[in-house]
Amino acid sequence: MKTATVNKGKETKYLNQYPLIEEDDLYAHDHLKEGDLFYLVNDSGQYIATAYVGRQHKGIGWVLSYDKDTDINVSFFEVLFTEALEARQYFYQIEGTNAFRLFNSEGDGVGGLTIDNYDGHLLIQWYSKGIYKFRYTILEAVKRVFDYTSIYEKMRFKDKAITGGFVEGEAPAFPIVIEENFTYYNVDLDDGPMTGIFLDQKEVRKKLRDQFAADRDILNLFSYTGAFSVIAAEDAQSTTSVDLANRSRALTEDNFGLNGIDPKSQYIYVMDTFDYYNYASRHHKVYDTIVIDPPSFARNKNKTFSVLKDYDKLIEGALDILAPQGTLLLCTNHSGLSLKSFKNTVKRTLDEAGMDYEINEVMGLPKDFKTHPHYKPSKYLKAIFVTMN
């Protein structure tokens, strides 16, 4: 077994079960290759943890065990998957939802690996070449623990020689239809990096429908397949979905149709968000609820957008077309932006705009997206409902 020595003074955080092995904390790591198992030791050679090499974020790998005698084999993953499954039995029992996360990376004990259930069709996502080296071991454990109709996989690392797609089982015809909070969505597990729905937002979507949609004109920015619009449409006065991607229109229309809503009764624009702000202002459009859920980073022609630098501009633009006593739903999934920093951005922007406001609700990940108690980036999702007075 290879070893890696933690620089003196850095061992405390790993003794406190910090899961991500950061490169700068190691004395040397040139000898470590993707997929290697290694012992993490202090400068006296004392064992701290067993980890694997899988470069992700600013880390060189993830801790797997704090027991030197633990073998990283099929049985190891089988135990973790069984524990994860037992913790999610609730989601198998509730009505109106059949898609949820079964295994959530470091929150369930293996950084760089997630498993989602889409009505019996499992999607495994590999976030580094290192964790992919354990593919056959992990797949065997998955098959032993989880019931499934089919298994698919997606690569979240760059390697042209490795492609995802169908693994085994009964391959369905895509899209398949999943249900979430009694609302239906199309999902495709074999078409690019995304599936058609972000499962981590299910509770936020429900909150929007239950408390901030009735009889309101709703604007959904960065709308993708229109999930926020679709769940709100039955109660809303109107929904407007805006996304720059051309394919978003057809995907959004299809999701409306699944739920018995005529897409022509809703508004859908293929447009840059800031361009839409200008368009809406010129046409005197006003919205009671505005949903802002941007990607962490985006590039459009000569323009770039970064959550860390530009979120305040999204809020400022929305205020110009927000109705009196209107509500903003402000979301980000940027793991490097803490909730405290995000709230500060929201408050500072609204204060500088001279707004009188109330934060109604602050939400994070649902329970199936288990987080790690000693690793703050695992709580990556932040959603704030704020209403103007």
Side-chain angles (χ1 to χ4, degrees):
M1 179 76 78
K2 294 183 178 181
T3 63
T5 303
V6 179
N7 290 322
K8 192 172 180 62
K10 294 290 187 178
E11 64 272 11
T12 302
K13 72 180 186 183
Y14 298 106
L15 291 169
N16 289 332
Q17 300 194 355
Y18 189 79
L20 181 66
I21 310 297
E22 297 182 349
E23 291 190 41
D24 293 343
D25 292 346
L26 299 184
Y27 176 73
H29 53 75
D30 292 344
H31 62 299
L32 299 176
K33 308 303 179 185
E34 288 283 326
D36 281 350
L37 289 170
F38 66 96
Y39 290 146
L40 189 69
V41 300
N42 65 15
D43 63 333
S44 299
Q46 294 175 312
Y47 173 86
I48 297 174
T50 301
Y52 81 91
V53 181
R55 288 174 173 81
Q56 193 181 340
H57 306 310
K58 296 180 180 180
I60 195 169
W62 297 91
V63 171
L64 292 174
S65 175
Y66 296 94
D67 182 352
K68 191 174 184 179
D69 295 327
T70 298
D71 292 324
I72 309 303
N73 53 22
V74 173
S75 295
F76 170 80
F77 290 107
E78 191 175 352
V79 169
L80 290 180
F81 293 162
T82 299
E83 291 173 351
L85 180 61
E86 290 173 352
R88 289 161 174 84
Q89 285 305 308
Y90 164 79
F91 291 94
Y92 283 100
Q93 308 302 324
I94 58 174
E95 291 185 31
T97 296
N98 59 19
F100 47 89
R101 179 147 291 183
L102 288 172
F103 191 88
N104 194 42
S105 196
E106 67 275 2
D108 282 298
V110 183
L113 174 73
T114 64
I115 306 172
D116 293 316
N117 169 43
Y118 293 88
D119 192 22
H121 301 279
L122 305 189
L123 176 64
I124 301 173
Q125 298 186 84
W126 314 93
Y127 283 81
S128 70
K129 291 182 183 179
I131 192 62
Y132 188 76
K133 297 283 188 180
F134 296 88
R135 180 176 183 267
Y136 293 105
T137 303
I138 288 172
L139 280 175
E140 181 59 32
V142 166
K143 289 185 282 186
R144 291 184 186 183
V145 174
F146 300 113
D147 292 331
Y148 61 89
T149 302
S150 72
I151 300 176
Y152 281 77
E153 61 184 354
K154 290 185 184 293
M155 310 304 150
R156 295 298 187 177
F157 58 90
K158 293 181 179 179
D159 191 325
K160 293 181 179 179
I162 304 174
T163 58
F166 177 72
V167 177
E168 73 163 63
E170 299 175 19
F174 288 118
I176 59 172
V177 177
I178 61 99
E179 187 177 11
E180 179 193 275
N181 294 314
F182 299 98
T183 306
Y184 299 99
Y185 304 98
N186 278 324
V187 163
D188 191 336
L189 306 183
D190 199 22
D191 181 27
M194 296 188 287
T195 66
I197 190 80
F198 294 115
L199 297 179
D200 53 4
Q201 287 276 26
K202 59 176 158 288
E203 290 183 357
V204 181
R205 284 189 283 270
K206 184 176 185 298
K207 178 71 68 172
L208 172 70
R209 179 193 65 194
D210 293 350
Q211 297 187 22
F212 300 94
D215 301 319
R216 296 188 179 203
D217 293 306
I218 296 176
L219 173 61
N220 179 16
L221 301 169
F222 306 96
S223 57
Y224 183 32
T225 61
F228 280 110
S229 304
V230 171
I231 196 171
E234 187 172 335
D235 297 318
Q237 178 73 27
S238 72
T239 71
T240 300
S241 304
V242 179
D243 197 284
L244 184 60
N246 284 319
R247 67 191 304 229
S248 67
R249 178 190 294 276
L251 295 171
T252 300
E253 289 175 345
D254 288 346
N255 277 336
F256 276 125
L258 278 179
N259 291 275
I261 299 167
D262 183 356
K264 295 179 180 178
S265 69
Q266 311 298 313
Y267 301 97
I268 304 172
Y269 293 86
V270 177
M271 191 180 292
D272 172 80
T273 289
F274 291 101
D275 291 342
Y276 186 78
Y277 281 157
N278 294 329
Y279 171 83
S281 293
R282 291 198 310 270
H283 290 81
H284 308 292
K285 293 179 179 291
V286 176
Y287 300 94
D288 302 294
T289 299
I290 300 179
V291 180
I292 305 177
D293 186 17
S296 295
F297 181 83
R299 180 178 285 108
N300 171 27
K301 296 180 181 178
N302 297 322
K303 293 188 291 184
T304 60
F305 170 84
S306 166
V307 160
L308 294 177
K309 296 180 180 179
D310 302 315
Y311 207 110
D312 55 345
K313 299 180 183 66
L314 287 175
I315 298 173
E316 290 166 359
L319 292 176
D320 291 337
I321 55 175
L322 184 66
Q325 289 82 52
T327 298
L328 298 177
L329 167 52
L330 307 171
C331 307
T332 178
N333 64 356
H334 195 301
S335 61
L337 181 63
S338 69
L339 175 59
K340 181 179 179 180
S341 296
F342 185 47
K343 287 178 71 174
N344 286 342
T345 296
V346 173
K347 290 178 179 180
R348 184 186 70 252
T349 307
L350 294 176
D351 288 341
E352 290 177 355
M355 305 301 296
D356 181 20
Y357 61 90
E358 176 185 357
I359 293 180
N360 309 104
E361 190 90 29
V362 177
M363 302 181 70
L365 291 166
K367 289 183 179 179
D368 51 323
F369 281 72
K370 187 178 178 181
T371 60
H372 194 290
H374 306 296
Y375 184 62
K376 290 183 180 179
S378 70
K379 300 178 181 180
Y380 63 86
L381 181 65
K382 283 78 63 175
I384 298 175
F385 289 87
V386 54
T387 297
M388 308 305 129
N389 293 324

